[in-house]
């Protein structure tokens, strides 16, 4: 199956983040999420072939590799993602990372793996096709374990808020495009240069109304301010290039949030996943919820046995 690598995810992983949550979880997953995986790892035999799908830069693969190191396990770990991931990051001899690999078409032979994992991963794909692929690559008796985005989790609540701010900055008020248009007009000596400059101020002020102090808003406004401050000391083309690059970066963040929000599942969707698992051939399927703390949802869990 030919699926193009998503540029906005490749852009993120090339920046070297370990987890999806970037600077907020810069070393690896912690707490309830980490504990969920440690419980899974404890049940695996000393010699195990693992696969982590939609792995990003391999956070979960690294958790497994470190567990294997600490517990003298002979584990081999494959980890793949549709995006162009950063293979020069924190590599580990037990891990083989693969870029450009969709969950829907796994380049591994039948019945190879004892354990397949997915963390905030396979729900981004065509789930029915991916579950059939995961089933195919598992050994009989092998297990698929996943933590999936929950629509009511704190992450999703925050993501929807951030998405709304990016939407205002990038689509409704188009602050970067307004600034690019102004510097282009200035470079060309266009008659409407002053009008375009007013357009930038207007767009930025509209974004700031009610959003000033919000980190997403402040970062976008900060990027525009930086370009404007530097403009006096360089040719317009350099300022335009900086604004284009900033626009790309923020648009990438906005697209990742859009992906995240549309991948998130509710309880009914999870029941649908159970049906998809059974259709793919899985026998036992268990659903659960993972909590950071009482009342603080981290996500749904799914464990399916071939
Ligand atoms: C939220 S990130 C999760 C990354 C990692 N598992 C983690 O927990 O940090 C979602 C990942 O799914 C990947 N992805 C999206 N669609 C995919 C598909 N069809 N097949 C494989 N990976 C996909 C994206 O490239 C992205 O890296």
């Amino acid at each position: 199956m030919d699926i193009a690598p998503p540029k906005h995810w490749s852009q993120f992983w090339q920046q070297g983040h370990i987890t999806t949550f970037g600077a907020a979880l810069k070393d690896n997953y912690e707490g309830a999420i980490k504990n969920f995986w440690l419980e899974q790892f404890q049940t695996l035999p000393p010699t195990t072939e693992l696969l982590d799908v939609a792995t990003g830069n391999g956070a979960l693969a690294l958790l497994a590799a470190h567990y294997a190191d600490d517990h003298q396990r002979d584990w081999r770990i494959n980890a793949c993602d549709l995006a162009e991931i950063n293979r020069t990051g924190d590599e580990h001899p037990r891990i083989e990372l693969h870029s450009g690999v969709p969950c829907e078409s796994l380049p591994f032979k039948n019945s190879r793996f004892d354990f397949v994992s997915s963390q905030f991963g396979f729900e981004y794909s065509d789930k029915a096709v991916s579950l059939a692929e995961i089933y195919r690559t598992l050994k009989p008796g092998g297990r698929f374990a996943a933590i999936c985005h929950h629509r009511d989790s704190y992450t999703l609540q925050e993501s929807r808020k951030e998405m709304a701010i990016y939407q205002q900055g990038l689509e409704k008020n188009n602050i970067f495009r307004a600034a690019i248009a102004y510097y282009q007009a200035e470079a060309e000596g266009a008659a409407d240069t002053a009008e375009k400059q007013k357009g930038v101020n207007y767009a930025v002020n509209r974004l700031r109304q009610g959003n000033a102090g919000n980190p997403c808003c402040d970062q976008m406004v900060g990027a525009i301010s930086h370009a404007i401050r530097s403009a006096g000391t360089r040719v317009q083309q350099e300022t335009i290039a900086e604004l284009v690059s900033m626009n790309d970066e923020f648009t990438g963040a906005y697209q990742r949030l859009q992906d995240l929000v549309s991948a998130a599942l509710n309880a009914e969707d999870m029941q649908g996943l159970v049906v998809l698992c059974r259709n793919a051939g899985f026998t036992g399927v268990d659903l659960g919820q993972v909590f950071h703390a009482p009342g603080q949802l981290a996500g749904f869990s799914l464990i399916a046995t071939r």
Side-chain angles (χ1 to χ4, degrees), residues 1 3-6 8-10 12-13 18-21 28-29 33 37 52-60 80-85 100-106 117-126 130 147 149 256 259-260:
M1 184 180 283
I3 307 179
H8 48 288
W9 283 107
S10 302
F12 181 75
W13 298 122
I18 299 287
T19 73
T20 307
F21 302 97
N28 207 323
Y29 290 93
I33 291 184
W37 292 113
D52 185 44
V53 297
T55 194
N57 270 347
L60 188 46
C80 51
D81 196 283
L82 181 56
E84 293 297 328
I85 53 182
V101 174
C103 301
E104 294 91 331
S105 178
L106 298 171
S117 55
S118 162
Q119 175 166 268
F120 307 129
F122 91 107
E123 66 268 38
Y124 286 70
S125 70
D126 180 329
S130 300
I147 298 185
H149 289 300
R256 290 191 294 276
D259 282 3
L260 191 153

Side-chain angles (χ1 to χ4, degrees), residues 59-105:
L60 188 46
L62 274 170
L63 277 186
H66 291 151
Y67 184 93
D69 290 345
D70 295 346
H71 297 81
Q72 293 78 47
R73 300 288 201 266
D74 178 21
W75 290 359
R76 285 174 41 80
I77 304 157
N78 277 271
C80 51
D81 196 283
L82 181 56
E84 293 297 328
I85 53 182
N86 184 356
R87 290 139 162 277
T88 59
D90 185 5
E91 278 182 20
H92 189 287
R94 292 180 189 278
I95 303 175
E96 211 175 313
L97 288 171
H98 310 264
S99 281
V101 174
C103 301
E104 294 91 331
S105 178

